Amino acid sequence: PEFITVQELANRMTERSSDVVKALMKLGVMATITQTIDADTAELIVTEFGHTIKRVTEGDVEIGIEGDTDTEGDLLPRPPVVTIMGHVDHGKTSLLDALRATDVVAGEAGGITQHIGAYQVTMPSGHKITFLDTPGHAAFTEMRARGANVTDIVVLVVAANDSIMPQTIEAINHAKAAGVPIIVAINKIDLPDANPNKVRQDLLQHEIVLEEMGGDTMAVELSAKKKINLDKLEETILLQAEMLNLRANPNRRANGTVVEAKLEQGRGNVATVLVENGTLRVGDIFVAGAESGRVRALLDDRGNSVKQALPGQPVEVLGLQGAPEAGDKINVVEDDARAREIAAYRARKKREQAAASIARRTNSLEQMIA
Ligand code: GDP
Ligand code: MG
C-alpha cells in the first residue's frame, strides 16, 4: 500500500530529499521525490537516518516520527574520521603506526594495541582524531559501494622521492568521487633524494593545487619513519575538520556503520562499529544490517572494556546474533520486537535485491545470446 511521498518523508525527518532518494536507491528502490513509497520502506528509511518512528497500530499506515530530530542546540563537535590512502610503499602503514603512537591517553592506560579496523588518537589539546586503519583503496571503495561514506578526510600519502604514482592518482579519483577533502602528506622527507617540490608540481596535473601554490588543499611535509611533523599533520587534520563543521548529538540513541565484522572463537560475532550519532551503550538493543542483537560488551581500540561509545568513536561490539557486513548500518532501537522486525525487513530486502540482480544478469545474458 502506498503511504508517503519521498518529499514529505524527507521534510518530516528534516533530511535532504536527495539523501532520501539515495538511501532508497541503496535499498534497490528507484523513486523520485514526488513518488509515493509504502509504509515498510518508509519505516526502514526513517530508521536508517537514525530517527525513531511510531506505528499507531500494527500495520497501520500512520507513522509519527518522534521528536528526536537533532536541533542546533543538541549538536556538539565530533572527531573527524580519516582514511589514509596512497601508492604502495609510500608509507601508509608506517604513518598509521606512527600516528597511533602519538596518542597521549594510551601511554597512561597501557593496554595492547588491538587491530579492530579503526583507532582513535587523543592529542595533547584533548582533541580526538579517528583513523580507519585498513589502508588502501579497496576498503574505501567497498564501503562506498555499499552506501557507507564514513570518511570525512582523506590523507594522501606521497613519498617525496617517488612523487605521483598510479595508485596516487587512483586515490585522488576516489576521494574526489566521494567528495571528501584531501590533505597531502609528503612523506619520507628524511631521504636524501626527497623532492617535495616535485610532488607539489606533479599534483597540479591532477587538479590538486596546494595552498602554498594558491589553491585550497593543505599539505604537510613529514617522515613517518623519523616521526617528523606528525603533530603538524594532526593539527592540519583538525583544521580541516573545523572547516567541515563536523557535529553530532551524543544525547540520543546511537547509529553508526559497521567497519569490520567477524566470527571469533570464544567471543561469537564481533563487529567494529563507528558510532556516527548518539551514544552506544552496553545493554542497548540494535539492528546491524540484517542482524539484531543486544550490546553485551564494548571494547575500545586497546581492548579495554568500556561502558559507552561516543560519536566518532570506533568500538568493538559483542552480542550480535549473526555477522553483519562491512558498510552495514547499525541502529539502536527501543525494543527486541522492533529490532527483529527491522532485521527481518532488511533480510527480505536483501533477498529481493539478490534475486533482482540475478534476474538482471540472466536477462542481459539472454540478450547477449540472442
Ligand atoms: P605502505 O605500502 O604504503 O603501507 O608503505 P609502508 O608503510 O609499508 O612503507 C614502505 C617502506 O617505506 C618501508 O620500508 C618503510 O620503512 C619505509 N618508510 C615509510 N615511511 C618512511 C619515511 O618517512 N622515511 C623513510 N626513509 N622510509 C619510510
Ligand atoms: Mg601497508
Side-chain angles (χ1 to χ4, degrees):
E2 298 202 325
F3 169 60
I4 191 171
T5 65
V6 174
Q7 181 70 70
E8 174 59 21
L9 183 63
N11 289 347
R12 283 215 226 163
M13 297 191 296
T14 61
E15 297 286 350
R16 275 201 301 265
S17 48
S18 60
D19 289 341
V20 175
V21 170
K22 269 186 230 152
L24 282 162
M25 257 158 66
K26 245 175 62 194
L27 296 174
V29 179
M30 299 298 159
T32 61
I33 57 169
T34 53
Q35 265 172 333
T36 310
I37 55 173
D38 64 49
D40 277 349
T41 308
E43 235 186 304
L44 189 70
I45 290 292
V46 170
T47 316
E48 290 267 348
F49 278 88
H51 302 276
T52 51
I53 39 127
K54 205 150 82 188
R55 276 202 179 196
V56 173
T57 54
E58 189 58 39
D60 197 347
V61 287
E62 195 78 7
I63 292 179
I65 294 162
E66 280 171 25
D68 73 345
T69 312
D70 300 324
T71 57
E72 200 55 22
D74 299 328
L75 298 171
L76 296 173
R78 64 154 174 90
V81 179
V82 177
T83 293
I84 296 189
M85 297 207 266
H87 195 71
V88 64
D89 282 345
H90 278 200
K92 296 179 294 294
T93 304
S94 306
L95 186 57
L96 275 165
D97 290 346
L99 288 166
R100 184 167 188 139
T102 66
D103 188 2
V104 295
V105 183
E108 313 154 14
I112 299 157
T113 297
Q114 304 284 321
H115 285 276
I116 65 168
Y119 67 82
Q120 200 171 50
V121 164
T122 304
M123 296 176 56
S125 60
H127 287 96
K128 291 172 194 292
I129 303 174
T130 300
F131 292 95
L132 293 178
D133 83 356
T134 34
H137 314 161
F140 185 80
T141 40
E142 195 188 304
M143 292 274 278
R144 244 175 49 83
R146 313 208 61 240
N149 238 341
V150 293
T151 301
D152 300 307
I153 297 166
V154 163
V155 168
L156 179 68
V157 182
V158 185
N161 61 334
D162 213 16
S163 198
I164 310 302
M165 294 305 259
Q167 287 165 290
T168 317
I169 300 167
E170 242 178 64
I172 292 171
N173 292 337
H174 286 318
K176 280 189 176 170
V180 177
I182 293 173
I183 294 173
V184 183
I186 305 178
N187 192 29
K188 307 199 187 186
I189 54 155
D190 56 298
L191 291 175
D193 59 343
N195 189 350
N197 281 331
K198 182 170 185 328
V199 175
R200 290 189 178 87
Q201 281 297 332
D202 291 350
L203 282 169
L204 287 173
Q205 283 167 27
H206 302 281
E207 280 133 56
I208 303 272
V209 188
L210 300 187
E211 273 187 338
E212 53 263 47
M213 309 197 60
D216 53 15
T217 303
M218 295 189 272
V220 180
E221 288 186 21
L222 53 84
S223 167
K225 193 175 182 174
K226 296 275 157 73
K227 303 193 190 308
I228 301 167
N229 279 350
L230 297 175
D231 51 348
K232 214 166 153 190
L233 175 62
E234 289 171 337
E235 279 157 24
T236 305
I237 291 169
L238 289 180
L239 197 62
Q240 179 73 67
E242 216 169 278
M243 293 195 282
L244 293 171
N245 192 25
L246 306 169
R247 298 188 306 161
N249 174 11
N251 298 309
R252 58 174 293 162
R253 280 190 201 127
N255 66 74
T257 299
V258 174
V259 182
E260 239 179 54
K262 51 189 184 275
L263 178 62
E264 272 185 30
Q265 192 90 41
R267 295 214 300 165
N269 287 294
V270 183
T272 297
V273 166
L274 190 63
V275 177
E276 278 160 286
N277 206 2
T279 299
L280 184 63
R281 295 189 172 84
V282 173
D284 279 348
I285 294 162
F286 61 88
V287 191
E291 307 294 339
S292 60
R294 179 191 285 267
V295 180
R296 188 152 48 82
L298 294 171
L299 299 159
D300 68 10
D301 52 0
R302 301 262 153 192
N304 302 314
S305 175
V306 292
K307 285 202 187 77
Q308 58 174 47
L310 293 166
Q313 191 177 343
V315 74
E316 267 195 323
V317 177
L318 274 67
L320 283 142
Q321 284 330 192
E325 291 171 58
D328 275 343
K329 279 267 163 219
I330 175 166
N331 300 89
V332 172
V333 293
E334 62 267 36
D335 59 36
D336 229 28
R338 184 94 201 97
R340 277 197 303 268
E341 192 186 334
I342 297 169
Y345 179 82
R346 285 181 179 177
R348 191 173 71 206
K349 279 284 170 196
K350 256 187 190 174
R351 279 195 303 274
E352 284 170 10
Q353 258 179 296
S357 106
I358 289 169
R360 267 198 304 278
R361 254 178 283 150
T362 314
N363 271 337
S364 61
L365 201 63
E366 277 166 1
Q367 277 162 12
M368 263 161 57
I369 294 165

